[in-house]
Amino acid sequence: MPSVHPLPTQAAPLFTTARLAVRRWQADDLAMLYTVYADPEAVRWVGDGQPITQAECERWLVVTANNYARRGYGMWAVTSRDSAEVLGFAGLVHPGGQAEPEVKYALRRACWGQGFASELLPALLRHGAQAHGLRQIIATVDPDNLASQRVLRKAGAVPGACREEDDGSRTLVFTWTAPSGVIPPAPAPVEPGWRGR
């Protein structure tokens, strides 16, 4: 059975933008995680489009803590720089064990239409390259989700081919490649309590 790594009780920002601060998940993010991912409209374009259960949220906290320990990254909380209020969640994941890191995000419905996704995505992708040495990051999007496609294009991701999913649906794959000037720094010391592998 895999070991379980604890989530921090308080996490410092990993990176910031003009209005946002992005940090690791904390144990007390559970309620907001459920609020975002149990909203049928908010998750319409996420995964299979089905709302998540409370138990699935609890398991996701464990999976994310283990991802931090294993890779140094995973899903993160997107907060307001001014108030530290959680606006949504975003991060870099490897769904189903896929080789390529994939960017994912979902914001509370009350935060839609304010340009947060367009502000977040370029900074998140750059952080993936600078902090974790990720040279290419993909994003998968429903061909009908034009809003997310616009956000990805603005962030510098390029659309590729559609792929067929197991359920017969089609997914458009975008690829972001780190600009040549984005050079990863030397590895940072491992944060106490987060043993990398």
Side-chain angles (χ1 to χ4, degrees):
M1 181 174 178
S3 59
V4 176
H5 298 270
L7 286 166
T9 53
Q10 206 167 24
L14 299 168
F15 62 92
T16 60
T17 67
R19 298 178 293 169
L20 306 172
V22 177
R23 61 162 172 78
R24 285 183 166 179
W25 284 3
Q26 301 169 173
D28 62 2
D29 286 330
L30 178 62
M32 188 56 69
L33 188 66
Y34 183 70
T35 296
V36 172
Y37 287 94
D39 179 345
E41 189 61 27
V43 298
R44 177 180 174 201
W45 305 112
V46 177
D48 62 4
Q50 295 302 308
I52 196 169
T53 67
Q54 182 88 12
E56 288 169 330
C57 285
E58 290 170 4
R59 283 194 298 275
W60 200 3
L61 288 176
V62 173
V63 167
T64 296
N66 288 334
N67 283 339
Y68 294 160
R70 187 168 145 215
R71 292 194 173 96
Y73 59 86
M75 289 296 288
W76 300 311
V78 180
T79 69
S80 163
R81 267 185 89 163
D82 293 335
S83 67
E85 175 188 13
V86 176
L87 308 179
F89 301 94
L92 298 164
V93 295
H94 295 259
Q98 74 183 20
E100 307 95 333
E102 183 171 342
V103 64
K104 298 282 189 184
Y105 69 94
L107 300 174
R108 285 173 29 214
R109 208 186 319 180
C111 300
W112 293 2
Q114 299 177 52
F116 289 134
S118 293
E119 183 175 330
L120 168 69
L121 262 287
L124 191 155
L125 293 166
R126 190 172 193 83
H127 176 78
Q130 290 179 326
H132 303 289
L134 303 177
R135 307 311 295 171
Q136 280 199 327
I137 299 169
I138 69 165
T140 56
V141 60
D142 189 292
D144 294 331
N145 188 351
L146 301 181
S148 282
Q149 291 178 44
R150 283 192 295 272
V151 168
L152 288 164
R153 287 176 196 271
K154 282 173 24 180
V158 177
C162 275
R163 70 181 183 201
E164 290 283 327
E165 302 297 344
D166 293 339
D167 63 2
S169 65
R170 292 174 3 120
T171 300
L172 183 58
V173 180
F174 279 73
T175 302
W176 179 84
T177 302
S180 57
V182 179
I183 300 171
V190 176
E191 189 178 324
W194 297 98
R195 297 184 58 211
R197 294 183 196 168

PDB file of all heavy atoms in Angstrom, residues 110-133:
ATOM      1  N   ALA A 110     -18.742  31.741  -9.576  1.00  0.00           N
ATOM      2  CA  ALA A 110     -18.793  33.172  -9.269  1.00  0.00           C
ATOM      3  C   ALA A 110     -17.561  33.919  -9.781  1.00  0.00           C
ATOM      4  O   ALA A 110     -17.579  35.146  -9.870  1.00  0.00           O
ATOM      5  CB  ALA A 110     -18.920  33.367  -7.759  1.00  0.00           C
ATOM      6  N   CYS A 111     -16.503  33.178 -10.124  1.00  0.00           N
ATOM      7  CA  CYS A 111     -15.256  33.797 -10.585  1.00  0.00           C
ATOM      8  C   CYS A 111     -15.124  33.805 -12.106  1.00  0.00           C
ATOM      9  O   CYS A 111     -14.129  34.281 -12.643  1.00  0.00           O
ATOM     10  CB  CYS A 111     -14.064  33.068  -9.970  1.00  0.00           C
ATOM     11  SG  CYS A 111     -14.048  33.098  -8.178  1.00  0.00           S
ATOM     12  N   TRP A 112     -16.109  33.291 -12.804  1.00  0.00           N
ATOM     13  CA  TRP A 112     -16.052  33.255 -14.261  1.00  0.00           C
ATOM     14  C   TRP A 112     -16.201  34.656 -14.847  1.00  0.00           C
ATOM     15  O   TRP A 112     -16.788  35.544 -14.229  1.00  0.00           O
ATOM     16  CB  TRP A 112     -17.168  32.376 -14.818  1.00  0.00           C
ATOM     17  CG  TRP A 112     -17.034  30.915 -14.497  1.00  0.00           C
ATOM     18  CD1 TRP A 112     -16.062  30.319 -13.747  1.00  0.00           C
ATOM     19  CD2 TRP A 112     -17.925  29.879 -14.890  1.00  0.00           C
ATOM     20  NE1 TRP A 112     -16.293  28.971 -13.664  1.00  0.00           N
ATOM     21  CE2 TRP A 112     -17.421  28.675 -14.355  1.00  0.00           C
ATOM     22  CE3 TRP A 112     -19.096  29.845 -15.651  1.00  0.00           C
ATOM     23  CZ2 TRP A 112     -18.066  27.449 -14.557  1.00  0.00           C
ATOM     24  CZ3 TRP A 112     -19.733  28.631 -15.849  1.00  0.00           C
ATOM     25  CH2 TRP A 112     -19.208  27.445 -15.308  1.00  0.00           C
ATOM     26  N   GLY A 113     -15.681  34.838 -16.033  1.00  0.00           N
ATOM     27  CA  GLY A 113     -15.870  36.091 -16.759  1.00  0.00           C
ATOM     28  C   GLY A 113     -15.045  37.256 -16.250  1.00  0.00           C
ATOM     29  O   GLY A 113     -15.285  38.401 -16.642  1.00  0.00           O
ATOM     30  N   GLN A 114     -14.062  36.989 -15.387  1.00  0.00           N
ATOM     31  CA  GLN A 114     -13.232  38.068 -14.842  1.00  0.00           C
ATOM     32  C   GLN A 114     -11.787  38.002 -15.331  1.00  0.00           C
ATOM     33  O   GLN A 114     -10.922  38.719 -14.827  1.00  0.00           O
ATOM     34  CB  GLN A 114     -13.278  38.022 -13.313  1.00  0.00           C
ATOM     35  CG  GLN A 114     -14.685  38.207 -12.764  1.00  0.00           C
ATOM     36  CD  GLN A 114     -14.736  38.087 -11.252  1.00  0.00           C
ATOM     37  OE1 GLN A 114     -13.979  38.744 -10.544  1.00  0.00           O
ATOM     38  NE2 GLN A 114     -15.619  37.233 -10.750  1.00  0.00           N
ATOM     39  N   GLY A 115     -11.511  37.112 -16.277  1.00  0.00           N
ATOM     40  CA  GLY A 115     -10.174  37.015 -16.843  1.00  0.00           C
ATOM     41  C   GLY A 115      -9.177  36.249 -15.989  1.00  0.00           C
ATOM     42  O   GLY A 115      -7.977  36.276 -16.278  1.00  0.00           O
ATOM     43  N   PHE A 116      -9.654  35.551 -14.963  1.00  0.00           N
ATOM     44  CA  PHE A 116      -8.719  34.835 -14.080  1.00  0.00           C
ATOM     45  C   PHE A 116      -7.996  33.703 -14.814  1.00  0.00           C
ATOM     46  O   PHE A 116      -6.800  33.502 -14.628  1.00  0.00           O
ATOM     47  CB  PHE A 116      -9.447  34.274 -12.862  1.00  0.00           C
ATOM     48  CG  PHE A 116      -9.889  35.316 -11.865  1.00  0.00           C
ATOM     49  CD1 PHE A 116     -11.167  35.284 -11.328  1.00  0.00           C
ATOM     50  CD2 PHE A 116      -9.029  36.322 -11.454  1.00  0.00           C
ATOM     51  CE1 PHE A 116     -11.582  36.228 -10.403  1.00  0.00           C
ATOM     52  CE2 PHE A 116      -9.434  37.286 -10.531  1.00  0.00           C
ATOM     53  CZ  PHE A 116     -10.709  37.234 -10.014  1.00  0.00           C
ATOM     54  N   ALA A 117      -8.707  32.941 -15.638  1.00  0.00           N
ATOM     55  CA  ALA A 117      -8.065  31.823 -16.340  1.00  0.00           C
ATOM     56  C   ALA A 117      -6.977  32.324 -17.282  1.00  0.00           C
ATOM     57  O   ALA A 117      -5.883  31.749 -17.347  1.00  0.00           O
ATOM     58  CB  ALA A 117      -9.107  31.006 -17.107  1.00  0.00           C
ATOM     59  N   SER A 118      -7.244  33.409 -18.003  1.00  0.00           N
ATOM     60  CA  SER A 118      -6.249  33.961 -18.925  1.00  0.00           C
ATOM     61  C   SER A 118      -5.042  34.520 -18.187  1.00  0.00           C
ATOM     62  O   SER A 118      -3.932  34.536 -18.726  1.00  0.00           O
ATOM     63  CB  SER A 118      -6.881  35.062 -19.788  1.00  0.00           C
ATOM     64  OG  SER A 118      -7.848  34.503 -20.651  1.00  0.00           O
ATOM     65  N   GLU A 119      -5.247  34.979 -16.971  1.00  0.00           N
ATOM     66  CA  GLU A 119      -4.139  35.473 -16.141  1.00  0.00           C
ATOM     67  C   GLU A 119      -3.348  34.315 -15.541  1.00  0.00           C
ATOM     68  O   GLU A 119      -2.121  34.365 -15.430  1.00  0.00           O
ATOM     69  CB  GLU A 119      -4.718  36.350 -15.031  1.00  0.00           C
ATOM     70  CG  GLU A 119      -3.696  36.990 -14.122  1.00  0.00           C
ATOM     71  CD  GLU A 119      -4.343  37.936 -13.120  1.00  0.00           C
ATOM     72  OE1 GLU A 119      -5.404  38.534 -13.429  1.00  0.00           O
ATOM     73  OE2 GLU A 119      -3.786  38.076 -12.018  1.00  0.00           O
ATOM     74  N   LEU A 120      -4.063  33.258 -15.168  1.00  0.00           N
ATOM     75  CA  LEU A 120      -3.458  32.125 -14.482  1.00  0.00           C
ATOM     76  C   LEU A 120      -2.605  31.245 -15.393  1.00  0.00           C
ATOM     77  O   LEU A 120      -1.480  30.880 -15.048  1.00  0.00           O
ATOM     78  CB  LEU A 120      -4.573  31.274 -13.856  1.00  0.00           C
ATOM     79  CG  LEU A 120      -4.190  29.896 -13.325  1.00  0.00           C
ATOM     80  CD1 LEU A 120      -3.302  30.037 -12.094  1.00  0.00           C
ATOM     81  CD2 LEU A 120      -5.435  29.086 -13.012  1.00  0.00           C
ATOM     82  N   LEU A 121      -3.154  30.860 -16.555  1.00  0.00           N
ATOM     83  CA  LEU A 121      -2.525  29.819 -17.374  1.00  0.00           C
ATOM     84  C   LEU A 121      -1.093  30.126 -17.805  1.00  0.00           C
ATOM     85  O   LEU A 121      -0.217  29.262 -17.664  1.00  0.00           O
ATOM     86  CB  LEU A 121      -3.398  29.492 -18.580  1.00  0.00           C
ATOM     87  CG  LEU A 121      -4.299  28.266 -18.426  1.00  0.00           C
ATOM     88  CD1 LEU A 121      -3.532  26.977 -18.484  1.00  0.00           C
ATOM     89  CD2 LEU A 121      -5.167  28.314 -17.205  1.00  0.00           C
ATOM     90  N   PRO A 122      -0.781  31.329 -18.322  1.00  0.00           N
ATOM     91  CA  PRO A 122       0.611  31.580 -18.710  1.00  0.00           C
ATOM     92  C   PRO A 122       1.584  31.450 -17.535  1.00  0.00           C
ATOM     93  O   PRO A 122       2.675  30.894 -17.680  1.00  0.00           O
ATOM     94  CB  PRO A 122       0.587  33.013 -19.257  1.00  0.00           C
ATOM     95  CG  PRO A 122      -0.833  33.253 -19.630  1.00  0.00           C
ATOM     96  CD  PRO A 122      -1.658  32.459 -18.660  1.00  0.00           C
ATOM     97  N   ALA A 123       1.172  31.930 -16.365  1.00  0.00           N
ATOM     98  CA  ALA A 123       2.037  31.852 -15.183  1.00  0.00           C
ATOM     99  C   ALA A 123       2.206  30.407 -14.724  1.00  0.00           C
ATOM    100  O   ALA A 123       3.299  29.992 -14.327  1.00  0.00           O
ATOM    101  CB  ALA A 123       1.462  32.708 -14.056  1.00  0.00           C
ATOM    102  N   LEU A 124       1.139  29.624 -14.793  1.00  0.00           N
ATOM    103  CA  LEU A 124       1.199  28.229 -14.378  1.00  0.00           C
ATOM    104  C   LEU A 124       2.133  27.432 -15.302  1.00  0.00           C
ATOM    105  O   LEU A 124       2.968  26.655 -14.834  1.00  0.00           O
ATOM    106  CB  LEU A 124      -0.209  27.633 -14.388  1.00  0.00           C
ATOM    107  CG  LEU A 124      -0.396  26.257 -13.749  1.00  0.00           C
ATOM    108  CD1 LEU A 124      -1.843  26.096 -13.292  1.00  0.00           C
ATOM    109  CD2 LEU A 124      -0.048  25.137 -14.684  1.00  0.00           C
ATOM    110  N   LEU A 125       2.005  27.638 -16.600  1.00  0.00           N
ATOM    111  CA  LEU A 125       2.857  26.928 -17.554  1.00  0.00           C
ATOM    112  C   LEU A 125       4.326  27.311 -17.366  1.00  0.00           C
ATOM    113  O   LEU A 125       5.209  26.458 -17.370  1.00  0.00           O
ATOM    114  CB  LEU A 125       2.391  27.225 -18.981  1.00  0.00           C
ATOM    115  CG  LEU A 125       1.001  26.662 -19.336  1.00  0.00           C
ATOM    116  CD1 LEU A 125       0.475  27.286 -20.619  1.00  0.00           C
ATOM    117  CD2 LEU A 125       1.032  25.148 -19.434  1.00  0.00           C
ATOM    118  N   ARG A 126       4.569  28.601 -17.180  1.00  0.00           N
ATOM    119  CA  ARG A 126       5.942  29.071 -16.965  1.00  0.00           C
ATOM    120  C   ARG A 126       6.515  28.472 -15.674  1.00  0.00           C
ATOM    121  O   ARG A 126       7.672  28.065 -15.624  1.00  0.00           O
ATOM    122  CB  ARG A 126       5.964  30.595 -16.924  1.00  0.00           C
ATOM    123  CG  ARG A 126       7.342  31.200 -16.952  1.00  0.00           C
ATOM    124  CD  ARG A 126       7.237  32.724 -17.121  1.00  0.00           C
ATOM    125  NE  ARG A 126       8.525  33.273 -17.458  1.00  0.00           N
ATOM    126  CZ  ARG A 126       9.038  33.307 -18.691  1.00  0.00           C
ATOM    127  NH1 ARG A 126       8.359  32.813 -19.693  1.00  0.00           N
ATOM    128  NH2 ARG A 126      10.232  33.821 -18.906  1.00  0.00           N
ATOM    129  N   HIS A 127       5.694  28.402 -14.628  1.00  0.00           N
ATOM    130  CA  HIS A 127       6.131  27.802 -13.370  1.00  0.00           C
ATOM    131  C   HIS A 127       6.505  26.332 -13.596  1.00  0.00           C
ATOM    132  O   HIS A 127       7.503  25.854 -13.057  1.00  0.00           O
ATOM    133  CB  HIS A 127       5.027  27.909 -12.315  1.00  0.00           C
ATOM    134  CG  HIS A 127       5.360  27.227 -11.029  1.00  0.00           C
ATOM    135  ND1 HIS A 127       6.204  27.776 -10.095  1.00  0.00           N
ATOM    136  CD2 HIS A 127       4.967  26.019 -10.536  1.00  0.00           C
ATOM    137  CE1 HIS A 127       6.324  26.931  -9.071  1.00  0.00           C
ATOM    138  NE2 HIS A 127       5.587  25.870  -9.315  1.00  0.00           N
ATOM    139  N   GLY A 128       5.710  25.615 -14.385  1.00  0.00           N
ATOM    140  CA  GLY A 128       6.019  24.216 -14.680  1.00  0.00           C
ATOM    141  C   GLY A 128       7.384  24.066 -15.321  1.00  0.00           C
ATOM    142  O   GLY A 128       8.126  23.125 -15.017  1.00  0.00           O
ATOM    143  N   ALA A 129       7.736  24.992 -16.202  1.00  0.00           N
ATOM    144  CA  ALA A 129       9.047  24.939 -16.860  1.00  0.00           C
ATOM    145  C   ALA A 129      10.168  25.360 -15.921  1.00  0.00           C
ATOM    146  O   ALA A 129      11.184  24.669 -15.803  1.00  0.00           O
ATOM    147  CB  ALA A 129       9.036  25.835 -18.100  1.00  0.00           C
ATOM    148  N   GLN A 130       9.976  26.475 -15.240  1.00  0.00           N
ATOM    149  CA  GLN A 130      11.054  27.020 -14.401  1.00  0.00           C
ATOM    150  C   GLN A 130      11.299  26.207 -13.141  1.00  0.00           C
ATOM    151  O   GLN A 130      12.442  25.963 -12.772  1.00  0.00           O
ATOM    152  CB  GLN A 130      10.737  28.470 -14.031  1.00  0.00           C
ATOM    153  CG  GLN A 130      10.836  29.410 -15.205  1.00  0.00           C
ATOM    154  CD  GLN A 130      10.489  30.837 -14.826  1.00  0.00           C
ATOM    155  OE1 GLN A 130       9.635  31.092 -13.973  1.00  0.00           O
ATOM    156  NE2 GLN A 130      11.145  31.789 -15.466  1.00  0.00           N
ATOM    157  N   ALA A 131      10.231  25.804 -12.467  1.00  0.00           N
ATOM    158  CA  ALA A 131      10.394  25.121 -11.179  1.00  0.00           C
ATOM    159  C   ALA A 131      10.567  23.617 -11.321  1.00  0.00           C
ATOM    160  O   ALA A 131      11.166  22.982 -10.449  1.00  0.00           O
ATOM    161  CB  ALA A 131       9.189  25.422 -10.277  1.00  0.00           C
ATOM    162  N   HIS A 132      10.049  23.042 -12.409  1.00  0.00           N
ATOM    163  CA  HIS A 132      10.047  21.584 -12.522  1.00  0.00           C
ATOM    164  C   HIS A 132      10.701  21.066 -13.802  1.00  0.00           C
ATOM    165  O   HIS A 132      10.700  19.860 -14.044  1.00  0.00           O
ATOM    166  CB  HIS A 132       8.613  21.052 -12.396  1.00  0.00           C
ATOM    167  CG  HIS A 132       7.956  21.479 -11.122  1.00  0.00           C
ATOM    168  ND1 HIS A 132       8.325  20.979  -9.884  1.00  0.00           N
ATOM    169  CD2 HIS A 132       6.991  22.406 -10.877  1.00  0.00           C
ATOM    170  CE1 HIS A 132       7.597  21.560  -8.942  1.00  0.00           C
ATOM    171  NE2 HIS A 132       6.791  22.420  -9.515  1.00  0.00           N
ATOM    172  N   GLY A 133      11.231  21.966 -14.615  1.00  0.00           N
ATOM    173  CA  GLY A 133      11.944  21.550 -15.817  1.00  0.00           C
ATOM    174  C   GLY A 133      11.066  20.919 -16.884  1.00  0.00           C
ATOM    175  O   GLY A 133      11.560  20.174 -17.724  1.00  0.00           O
TER     176      GLY A 133
END
